[in-house]
Amino acid sequence: MKKKARRFLSISDLSTTEIKKVLNLALKIKHNPKKYSNKLKGLTLAMIFEKPSLRTRVSFETGMTQLGAHAIYLGPNDIQMGVRETPSDIARNLERMVDIIMARVFEHQKLIELSKDTKVPVINGLSDLEHPCQAMADILTVLEKKKKLKGLKLTFIGDCENNVTHSLAILCDKLGMKFFCSAPKGYEMKKEVVKTLKNKITEVVDPKKAIENADIVVTDTWISMGDEKEKKTRLKVFPPYQINSKLMKRAKADAIFLHCLPAYRGFEVTDDIIDGPQSVVFDEAENRLHVQKALILFLLGK
Ligand code: CP
Ligand code: NVA
């Protein structure tokens, strides 16, 4: 019997040392991808998607190809987790056929069930609670652009009760970065995440205060997948949280702008910012590929 596998459902599943190891490996892979081209020869990744995706699907699938491995896409109509079969039964089938599983789900609980006692690693490809692969790519991008992490101020503005915000807050906490977030009342980070953080984070309602002197400015859609029915209400409260040139001016002059994408231009961010000189969003998207290759190698102990 194989021993229980590592899982990556949350940033908190890795120690600070392990996170740094994955980030360093990602940089090595990015600069010399050929060296890793046979590392996972003959292995297979199952990718379960309950929601749409561009970056997550393409980066995982391409990443596996580049490592000499293979990925299988299982879309919303294929396995219908929880409808056709329980997450646990799905895992007990998949672990006998594939070497690693990635899943994008609505409820985080499904990932917990999918990975419980599962003999192959399970990776969170986005849930309602976290988007840890995105946060790893974000911080890799910061490291490349700023050449350091410790002490930098990262400000997230917008919907803070958000998978991307939660993963970034935990990651900043582990890496000694200052985390600020700003949301309208009622859209703050989940308390269950805040209470796990070792260091104090700063949550302020006023985005102008939160962004002051930031090294990194981050936002995300105001309407995450699954929140569509709240669209009307959200569009009323979020406009003061738009990242535009007036707000961005309050950050440091050399601040960088990140967005996990897809971006809803004219809502959470204006064209001049996302297409402007401070934006690093496409480097950030590319880094999904490199950091996930590193993560997969790490989780498989290769
Ligand atoms: N950032 C991100 O996860 O993009 P997709 O939803 O396109 O995968
Ligand atoms: N918070 C967004 C991220 C999309 C990649 C969502 O969950 O839809």
Side-chain angles (χ1 to χ4, degrees), residues 138-231:
D138 294 357
I139 294 305
L140 180 66
T141 313
V142 174
L143 182 61
E144 284 182 313
K145 304 291 171 190
K146 298 281 177 197
K147 311 285 177 226
K148 63 169 194 171
L149 296 172
K150 211 175 159 82
L152 293 180
K153 172 175 172 176
L154 183 148
T155 299
F156 184 98
I157 293 181
D159 179 14
C160 292
E161 195 192 352
N162 180 355
N163 39 28
V164 173
T165 326
H166 293 148
S167 291
L168 271 176
I170 305 171
L171 193 48
C172 288
D173 188 51
K174 283 184 175 275
L175 294 169
M177 296 171 70
K178 296 179 206 133
F179 185 82
F180 284 62
C181 59
S182 181
K185 267 203 167 339
Y187 298 93
E188 297 90 355
M189 282 176 58
K190 282 194 198 297
K191 295 287 164 283
E192 65 183 274
V193 175
V194 176
K195 70 174 188 232
T196 65
L197 305 175
K198 274 215 307 281
N199 304 299
K200 204 178 140 317
I201 59 156
T202 314
E203 289 183 278
V204 276
V205 178
D206 185 355
K208 296 195 282 305
K209 289 209 177 97
I211 203 170
E212 211 68 62
N213 277 318
D215 297 286
I216 306 123
V217 176
V218 192
T219 192
D220 185 12
T221 178
W222 296 335
I223 302 146
S224 283
M225 293 178 275
D227 290 338
E228 292 81 3
K229 54 193 177 310
E230 297 172 23
K231 187 170 176 180

Side-chain angles (χ1 to χ4, degrees), residues 52-56 104 131 134 225 260-262 288:
S53 168
L54 168 68
R55 282 146 292 270
T56 304
R104 166 168 287 196
H131 196 358
Q134 182 65 53
M225 293 178 275
C260 63
L261 306 177
R288 292 288 303 275

Side-chain angles (χ1 to χ4, degrees), residues 46-58:
M47 307 189 294
I48 301 170
F49 281 94
E50 290 191 327
K51 300 175 179 175
S53 168
L54 168 68
R55 282 146 292 270
T56 304
R57 179 184 175 176
V58 176

Side-chain angles (χ1 to χ4, degrees), residues 17 46 56 66 97 109 155 158 215 224 253 274 281 299:
T17 311
T56 304
Q66 291 180 358
M97 302 176 203
Q109 182 58 29
T155 299
D215 297 286
S224 283
I274 196 165
V281 299
L299 294 174

